Amino acid sequence: MELIETIAAFGKTLDAERLAGRRVGLVPTMGYLHEGHAALVRQAAAECDVVAVTIFVNPLQFAAGEDLSSYPRDLDGDRRTAEAAGAEYLFVPEVTEMYPGEVHTTVSVAGESDGLEGASRPSHFAGVATVVAKLFNIAGPSRAYFGEKDWQQLQVVRRMVDDLSFPIEVVGCPIVRDGDGVALSSRNVYLSTTERAAAPVLRRALMAGRDALSNGRSPADAAALMAELISAEPLAQLDYAEVVGDRLLVAARFGTTRLIDNMGADR
Ligand code: PAF
């Protein structure tokens, strides 16, 4: 696997791959790769001819006071994980490479960015959409892979791709969970032992909400039940519990760590 640090080199390398007739699969990440990321890379490797993983902790998607400066990093571990999962290229630009000056052009996706995460993190999805658009333009992938854990992000990216006619297929991949049901996230590393022990409440709440829906309860009832279960966990501070279409979504803080999770109503 080749490590690339500049936009010019990354673009040129993938131009050559496309010229040789190879379909590029892109897996955008912020690093500190876990089994959920590895699953994205494996799926990309199975469906594309060449896979590029990007690692960039994107300042544009963090608000003041969020965890930009403490976001976990482990480039050596990430290299091993990406390579073992089947990546050919790892793009790891510095912030000054991606944003050499002030950013005057951003992409904002109205509607899909509203509510849920967008309510708690108002500038977050414009930051995500802007960096993903940039990565799409630099890499020119045929397909791009995103985890369903960030369900709303996936909807934002899909909408951006449709609205701006990016010739890219966006592939959403299922959430990967630890044995106790906690969705894998790079941020789980922030949790204390007791917070980590409390975190499975999110999935329990989602499952209870899903069961309530399948027993004929209303989305509002299912959402209230999820909120009640999460609020009953002393270490969890509920942010939201909602049913949107056929998706149940929750977010809560465990100490200073904010976790999100979601589940389809039919699974
Ligand atoms: O999901 C993430 O890791 C990030 O939001 C992404 C899509 C890589 C954009 O920075």
Side-chain angles (χ1 to χ4, degrees):
M1 188 182 67
E2 188 181 336
L3 187 122
I4 302 178
E5 290 177 318
T6 67
I7 292 173
F10 190 45
K12 202 167 150 202
T13 302
L14 294 183
D15 278 351
E17 293 287 3
R18 277 191 306 277
L19 267 175
R22 289 192 272 272
R23 286 163 311 164
V24 174
L26 187 73
V27 183
T29 82
M30 298 204 299
Y32 211 70
L33 303 182
H34 50 64
E35 187 48 35
H37 296 113
L40 301 182
V41 179
R42 280 196 295 271
Q43 186 165 339
E47 296 177 353
C48 305
D49 301 309
V50 58
V51 177
V53 175
T54 70
I55 295 180
F56 181 61
V57 182
N58 171 36
L60 278 194
Q61 69 188 74
F62 290 80
E66 291 188 348
D67 56 344
L68 173 62
S69 57
S70 58
Y71 198 83
R73 293 169 201 250
D74 175 14
L75 185 55
D76 288 341
D78 288 350
R79 285 172 89 144
R80 286 192 293 274
T81 304
E83 183 158 27
E88 276 82 9
Y89 301 106
L90 188 62
F91 179 50
V92 191
E94 294 288 342
V95 173
T96 48
E97 177 70 10
M98 289 294 275
Y99 304 122
E102 270 181 34
V103 177
H104 289 203
T105 307
T106 57
V107 180
S108 64
V109 180
E112 281 76 6
S113 299
D114 300 341
L116 300 167
E117 291 303 287
S120 302
R121 310 179 70 191
S123 57
H124 174 65
F125 286 121
V128 170
T130 302
V131 81
V132 170
K134 230 170 130 72
L135 291 168
F136 283 178
N137 283 330
I138 297 165
S142 301
R143 290 181 170 191
Y145 295 79
F146 296 85
E148 288 185 347
K149 187 180 76 68
D150 295 293
W151 180 258
Q152 192 178 6
Q153 167 174 283
L154 181 59
Q155 312 317 310
V156 166
V157 171
R158 285 192 193 286
R159 186 62 188 228
M160 177 188 78
V161 161
D162 284 351
D163 283 353
L164 299 184
S165 303
F166 280 97
I168 297 170
E169 185 183 336
V170 175
V171 183
C173 302
I175 296 175
V176 178
R177 298 180 180 280
D178 263 336
D180 62 359
V182 173
L184 295 190
S185 163
S186 306
R187 290 187 166 102
N188 290 352
V189 72
Y190 299 146
L191 297 168
S192 70
T193 311
T194 48
E195 288 161 358
R196 178 64 188 74
V201 70
L202 295 185
R203 179 155 178 266
R204 281 202 307 277
L206 288 166
M207 287 168 60
R210 183 193 59 183
D211 291 348
L213 287 177
S214 63
N215 289 332
R217 306 262 302 273
S218 68
D221 279 357
L225 177 62
M226 296 193 294
E228 193 184 308
L229 288 170
I230 295 170
S231 302
E233 165 52 61
L235 293 185
Q237 195 192 333
L238 178 71
D239 188 345
Y240 60 76
E242 293 190 28
V243 180
V244 180
D246 63 357
R247 205 84 196 168
L248 302 99
L249 305 104
V250 295
R253 269 179 204 288
F254 296 78
T256 54
T257 308
R258 190 166 172 283
L259 299 184
I260 59 174
D261 202 347
N262 69 85
M263 191 175 280
D266 52 354
R267 283 190 253 149

